[in-house]
């Protein structure tokens, strides 16, 4: 592990401990190291920008996060193949950022760019592709495009069911998301089935908040159906 990677890992450790400001300070130091040692455009520089943007997005400093994501894109466009794969991830993260700001058209454009790169550089059963489909499904749900959302969540489910253990939390997530779209379209039996699958998974992981939220969803479902 070289000096740049050590600084990045130290910064990420600080961020996990809740010290985002110190993490950003270390990443700025790492950026200076990378800029001094690497070519003008390099994926290592892009990686530092990406980590900074992610921390800033979690802090809801969206304008600063957007600036660093755009800088990461510049370097990733000129990098070799590995950097081109990272370009897809950065577009996905941009989609999340725009979606949080209710910039749905920009989010959709970013996700579609990410999807095209995923399809070009990564296998069709890649878990990163499942995450992208899930993010696109959330966006479609927020825009009221429930049939599209269902299709995207099914694609997420299909990839995860093949790649992950049957009780993995990411399967619990997608069952819950798919259940919500069925509920919103009035397909209550299908929604209930998805909610119950999701609850069974999260109970195994003692995720009490997720279980409580899902049970609340089932309660709303039963009220819609006129049940006591």
């Amino acid at each position: 592990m070289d000096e740049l990677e050590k600084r990045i890992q130290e910064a990420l450790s600080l961020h996990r401990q809740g010290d985002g400001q110190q993490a950003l300070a270390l990443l700025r130091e790492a950026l200076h190291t990378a800029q001094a040692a690497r070519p003008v455009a390099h994926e290592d520089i892009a990686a530092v920008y990406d980590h900074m943007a992610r921390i800033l997005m979690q802090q809801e400093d969206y304008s600063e996060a957007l600036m660093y994501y755009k800088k990461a894109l510049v370097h990733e466009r000129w990098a070799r193949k590995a950097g081109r794969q990272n370009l897809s991830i950065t577009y996905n993260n941009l989609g999340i950022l725009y979606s949080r700001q209710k910039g749905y058209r920009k989010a959709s454009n970013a996700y579609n760019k990410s999807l095209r790169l995923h399809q070009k550089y990564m296998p069709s059963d890649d878990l990163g592709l499942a995450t992208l489909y899930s993010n696109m499904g959330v966006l479609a749900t927020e825009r009221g495009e429930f049939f599209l959302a269902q299709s995207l969540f099914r694609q997420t489910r299909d990839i995860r069911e093949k790649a992950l253990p049957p009780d993995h939390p990411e399967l619990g997530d997608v069952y819950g998301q798919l259940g919500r779209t069925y509920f919103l379209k009035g397909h209550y039996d299908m929604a209930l089935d998805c909610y119950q699958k999701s609850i069974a998974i999260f109970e195994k992981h003692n995720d009490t908040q997720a279980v409580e939220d899902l049970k609340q969803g089932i309660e709303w479902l039963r009220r819609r159906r006129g049940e006591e």
Side-chain angles (χ1 to χ4, degrees):
M1 183 183 297
D2 64 13
E3 186 62 31
L4 174 63
E5 184 61 25
K6 286 181 181 178
R7 290 193 181 189
I8 290 174
Q9 292 304 317
E10 185 179 353
L12 296 180
S13 177
L14 285 168
H15 181 231
R16 287 192 293 270
Q17 295 170 29
D19 194 347
Q21 292 306 314
Q22 185 60 32
L24 285 170
L26 275 176
L27 286 171
R28 290 188 180 97
E29 292 179 10
L31 179 62
H32 292 315
T33 300
Q35 289 172 329
R38 269 69 173 175
V40 174
H42 195 279
E43 57 257 36
D44 286 349
I45 299 174
V48 179
Y49 283 135
D50 181 77
H51 289 308
M52 294 173 74
R54 292 187 192 206
I55 292 173
L56 288 161
M57 187 161 66
Q58 289 184 13
Q59 294 176 346
E60 299 185 356
D61 189 345
Y62 296 130
S63 60
E64 284 288 303
L66 178 61
M67 178 185 71
Y68 284 118
Y69 275 139
K70 287 183 175 180
K71 288 185 176 183
L73 288 174
V74 171
H75 289 269
E76 287 163 351
R77 288 191 185 107
W78 288 96
R80 49 183 192 267
K81 186 177 179 181
R84 303 290 287 184
Q85 293 173 348
N86 291 336
L87 184 61
S88 173
I89 297 171
T90 301
Y91 276 124
N92 177 60
N93 291 336
L94 270 174
I96 296 171
L97 187 153
Y98 286 132
S99 183
R100 289 184 182 179
Q101 294 181 298
K102 310 299 182 184
Y104 296 140
R105 181 175 297 180
K106 289 183 177 180
S108 180
N109 288 338
Y111 285 144
N112 284 326
K113 288 179 181 179
S114 179
L115 180 59
R116 287 193 293 271
L117 287 161
H118 255 94
Q119 292 171 333
K120 182 174 182 179
Y121 291 109
M122 285 166 257
S124 59
D125 59 352
D126 179 69
L127 282 169
L129 183 59
T131 299
L132 175 58
Y133 283 141
S134 177
N135 291 339
M136 294 174 76
V138 171
L139 177 63
T141 302
E142 291 177 354
R143 298 176 74 170
E145 299 170 336
F146 302 127
F147 288 120
L148 174 59
Q150 287 169 13
S151 175
L152 290 162
F153 288 139
R154 288 191 197 104
Q155 291 180 84
T156 303
R157 177 201 60 195
D158 292 347
I159 294 173
R160 289 179 179 172
E161 283 182 341
K162 290 177 182 178
L164 299 172
D167 60 350
H168 196 283
E170 288 187 8
L171 274 170
D173 285 336
V174 72
Y175 288 140
Q177 291 168 329
L178 189 54
R180 182 166 180 260
T181 64
Y182 286 138
F183 170 76
L184 291 168
K185 290 301 295 180
H187 301 154
Y188 299 133
D189 289 340
M190 297 172 76
L192 181 60
D193 180 63
C194 287
Y195 284 155
Q196 289 173 336
K197 286 180 178 179
S198 187
I199 287 172
I201 291 172
F202 286 124
E203 283 181 337
K204 288 183 179 180
H205 292 274
N206 298 314
D207 190 335
T208 55
Q209 185 60 59
V211 171
E212 182 180 335
D213 291 344
L214 287 159
K215 287 183 175 179
Q216 182 64 48
I218 290 176
E219 180 63 27
W220 278 106
L221 184 155
R222 286 175 172 160
R223 290 181 185 178
R224 285 278 188 93
R225 292 202 304 192
E227 298 179 10
E228 292 297 329

